[in-house]
Amino acid sequence: MSKQQSGPRAVQINPPVFFASAGLILFIVVFAAAAPSVAETVFTGVQGWIVDTFGWFYMLAVAVFLVFSLGLAFSGFGAVKLGPDHSEPEFSYRSWFAMLFSAGMGIGLLFFGVAEPVLHFASPPVGEGGDVQAARNAMSITMFHWGLHAWSIYAVVGLALAYFSFRHGLPLTIRSALYPLIGERIHGPIGHTVDTFAVLGTMFGVATSLGLGVMQVNAGLAYLLGVPENTLVQIVLIALITLFATGSVVAGLDAGIRRLSELNLVLAAVLLLFVLFTGPTLYLLGTLVQNTGNYFSQIVHRTFNLRAYAPSDWMGAWTLFYWGWWIAWSPFVGMFIARVSRGRTIRQFVFGVLFVPFGFTLMWMTFFGNTALNIELNDATAGLSALVAENIPVALFQFFERLPLSTLASGLATVLVVTFFVTSSDSGSLVIDIITSGGSEEPPVWQRIFWALFEGVVAAVLLLAGGLQALQTGAIASALPFVFVMLLICYGLYQGLSRERLKKVAFAIPPAPSLPAGRVTWQKRLKNIASHADRPSVAAFIQDTARPALVAVAQELAAQNLEAHTELEDDRVRLRVNLGDDADFLYCVVLRGYEAPGFAFPEFRLPRDRKHTYFRAEVYLAEGSQHYDVMGYTEEQLIGDVLGQYERHMHYLHLALS
C-alpha cells in the first residue's frame, strides 16, 4: 500500500490497484467499442453461464448476508461503536438517511417502480397473468427484489469497512476487512487484488445505474419536449450529466453530495405523496399493509427459491440480475455509507441501513406499483402493460399520463432522475478514488475528476454494446468474484468483533492497586473531586507529572528489552509499547475540555452570553477515551494506573492467542 504523503497531494495513488483496475476497465471498454456486436454476443453468453453455474451460489450468499447482519445487530456486538468509544456521528439522522437512500438505489426505484410490477403482472414467472392473483404475486416479487436482502449486502461491506477503519485505524479500503484473516499481507498482492475487484464491481455497478438512468432521462425528455429516443441522445445526456457529477465530486462530500442527497430525498417524498393523493389513496394504504405482511410471510420461501424444478431465463433476467447488481454496487455503497457513519453503533448502523431505506422503498413500490396495477385491473383500454413491455424506460411517464398534472409530475421525475444520476456518479467516483489512493479519505481532486469521467465513458460504451442486456451482464459478471470476497469479509468482521469481546473480558479484571508511595489525604482527594481545573493547570500536570511518569515506564520497559517510547504534544502525552501487528499497547493522557452545566456547578453560573469550560486529564487507550480523569494523581499513582491498564492488555493478548 502506498504511503500517504505529507507534502502537497499532487499524486496520491496505490499504483497496483489504480493501474490494474484502470487497465482492465479500459480493455473491456475498448473491446465493447471496437466490436459492439461481438461484445453483445459475449455478454449474453457470459450472463447465461454465470446464471446456470453460480445462480445457487448467489442466492445462498445473499441469504447469509441478511442473517449475518441481523445477527450482529441483535447480539451483544450491537453496542460496539464504529469509531472510538467517545466518537459521535458526523451527520444528523436526516442527512445520513438521505445519503443512504440516494447512494443505494434511487435511480432503480424510478426506473423499475412502475415497470417491474406491471411486467410481472402481465408475464409472471409461473401461471397466467392479468388477474388479481397475478397482481398480488407481482407486488410480492417486486418487494422481495427491493427489500432487506439488497440492503443487507450493503450493510455487510459498510459495517466491516467502518469498523476496521474508524475503530482500528486501518485504511478505508476493502482489504482492511480481511486483516483478522491475513494480517499485514493485506498490504501486498492479496490486498491489491481484493481492491481491484472492488473497483471493477463499483465501476460496472455504477455504470449500470447510469445507463438505466439516462434511458429514463431520455424517455422523460421525449415525453415532455419531443426529444428523439436513441443511443446518440443518451450518450450526449451521459456526457452532460457526467459534467454535473464531476462538479459535485469536486465540491466534496459535505458541499456537494450531502446537499444533493437531501434534495433527492425531498423531491422523492414530494413525488411519492403526489402519487398517493392523486391515486386511489385508501386502496394504496390498504395494499401497503398487505404488501408488508406478504413480504415478511414469504421471505424465507423466496430467499431460497431458485425455481430449480422448472428452470427458465426468468431468474437470470430478474432475481439474479438484482443480486448481481446489488453485490456489484456493494463496494461503492458500502464504502460510502461507512464514510458517513462514523460514530454510530453497529445496532444503529444495521437498523438504519436495513429498515429505514427499506421502509421508504416499500412505500414507493406500493404507491407506484399498485396504482399502475389498479389502472390495469380496472381499465381494459389502458394498455399500460403493452407500452411497458415495448419500452421500459418510458413506463414511468406513461403511468403519469393516467394521473392528474401529468406534465408537472413527469418534469419533476426527470429532474429527480438527473439528481440521482449525479449523486450516484459523484459518490461512485469518490469511493473508487479512495480505493485507488490507498484509503485516503480526501484524495486529490484530479483523481476524482478522472474516475467521474471514466464512469460516464463506461456507461456510454455499454449502451452502445447492447443496451440493457450489456448493462445487466456487466453487473452480474463483475459481482461474481466479489461474492467470495464478501463471504471472507463476514468471517473477518466476526473474528475482529470476537477479539474485541475477549479484550473487554480481559479489561473487566480489576487493575493492579496503586503503589503505596504518594498517599493523598481524603481531604485532598475530595478537593480534586469537587473542583474543576482550568486549561493551564491540566497542561502543567501533563508536562510536569504525566510525562515523567510515562517516561519512567518506557525506560523500565526498554530495560526489559521491549520497544517503548513516549511522545509529547501540545495537549497530550502518549506511551506506546510495540508488541507487533495490532497488539501494540497505547496509553495516553489528553487535555480535554467540557462545557460546565450551570445547574451542576453553582460557581460556574455566568451570564448567558458567556460559557465556562473546565478541563480534565483524560485517559485514552487504543479504543478511545476511557472516560476517567487522572488530574491530581502523583507520578507513582499514575504509574500504577498505567501498569493496571498494561496488565489488562497483556491478559487480552493471552486470551486472543490461546
Side-chain angles (χ1 to χ4, degrees), residues 297-312:
S297 66
Q298 298 179 24
I299 189 170
V300 175
H301 167 70
R302 294 198 179 278
T303 296
F304 299 100
N305 184 12
L306 265 170
R307 306 188 187 277
Y309 292 100
S312 69

Side-chain angles (χ1 to χ4, degrees), residues 523-600:
Q523 292 92 342
K524 184 174 181 181
R525 182 180 175 190
L526 178 61
K527 180 180 179 181
N528 288 340
I529 296 172
S531 62
H532 291 84
D534 56 19
R535 185 184 184 95
S537 299
V538 178
F541 170 79
I542 290 175
Q543 173 67 40
D544 300 336
T545 303
R547 180 174 178 273
L550 298 191
V551 168
V553 174
Q555 290 173 344
E556 183 60 30
L557 289 168
Q560 298 180 29
N561 298 318
L562 290 172
E563 185 180 346
H565 63 277
T566 58
E567 301 169 3
L568 178 66
E569 298 178 9
D570 291 339
D571 61 348
R572 67 194 62 198
V573 61
R574 181 184 299 110
L575 167 69
R576 182 181 296 275
V577 184
N578 296 325
L579 300 172
D581 293 340
D582 61 342
D584 288 359
F585 172 72
L586 178 70
Y587 184 98
C588 191
V589 180
V590 178
L591 185 154
R592 190 173 181 190
Y594 294 87
E595 184 179 338
F599 66 86

Side-chain angles (χ1 to χ4, degrees), residues 204-221:
F204 288 104
V206 173
T208 299
S209 293
L210 301 189
L212 297 178
V214 82
M215 288 181 187
Q216 199 157 41
V217 172
N218 192 181
L221 294 177

